[in-house]
Amino acid sequence: MKDVNCIFCKLANGDIPTATLYEDEDFRVILDASPAAKGHALILPKEHYRNLYDLDEEVAKKVMPLAKKMIKKMTPLLECDGYNVVQNNEESAGQSVFHFHMHLIPRKKGDKVGVTWKMGELKDEDVKDILERI
């Protein structure tokens, strides 16, 4: 199902022109219009899913192999040293467009791309709490 009001549905289905790197029956991979780095791409399913919580299981099975395929192809092309594969769910986690998508961000040593966080400490009481409730 597609959402007629969703810009990523329109991008994924070719209703809005994109710089398309790859396309199959389930996905379109495009260059991000506001890239964190040269070659930053988005994997967009053609069907509308708000985020990972809603993603169809069959589509979910295909997204990581597609990410691997794309970064293996793009790494030598872009001469990058590595990749961030980023997927945000809900506003508090940085999701700003509510159509499942995965970012593929090429990285070079010493770049200033900010896909990091301040490392915390795993506390014994947190471990206990989580393990008891899972």
Side-chain angles (χ1 to χ4, degrees), residues 121-133:
E121 177 185 338
L122 180 60
K123 298 177 183 170
D124 290 340
E125 61 266 21
D126 293 340
V127 171
K128 182 180 179 197
D129 176 55
I130 292 167
L131 293 179
E132 285 176 354
R133 294 191 298 138

Side-chain angles (χ1 to χ4, degrees), residues 54-113:
D54 297 335
L55 189 63
D56 177 82
E57 293 293 325
E58 292 304 311
V59 175
K61 289 178 187 178
K62 297 175 183 177
V63 72
M64 195 54 76
L66 177 55
K68 179 181 177 181
K69 176 181 180 172
M70 294 305 302
I71 69 171
K72 285 181 76 173
K73 183 169 185 89
M74 296 300 288
T75 295
L77 186 144
L78 295 169
E79 300 177 344
C80 58
D81 302 313
Y83 257 89
N84 287 115
V85 177
V86 179
Q87 200 282 308
N88 303 316
N89 298 281
E90 296 300 336
E91 188 175 352
S92 63
Q95 186 178 11
S96 59
V97 178
F98 294 91
H99 177 112
F100 174 90
H101 58 285
M102 186 174 284
H103 295 264
L104 306 176
I105 305 171
R107 300 299 301 271
K108 293 189 177 185
K109 193 171 198 157
D111 68 22
K112 303 293 184 205
V113 176

Side-chain angles (χ1 to χ4, degrees), residues 3 11 20-21 28-29 31 38 50 63 65 69 75 93 98 110 113 131 134:
D3 179 341
L11 292 167
T20 299
L21 300 174
R28 184 179 295 245
V29 181
L31 289 176
K38 179 181 176 181
R50 179 180 168 86
V63 72
K69 176 181 180 172
T75 295
F98 294 91
V113 176
L131 293 179
I134 199 162

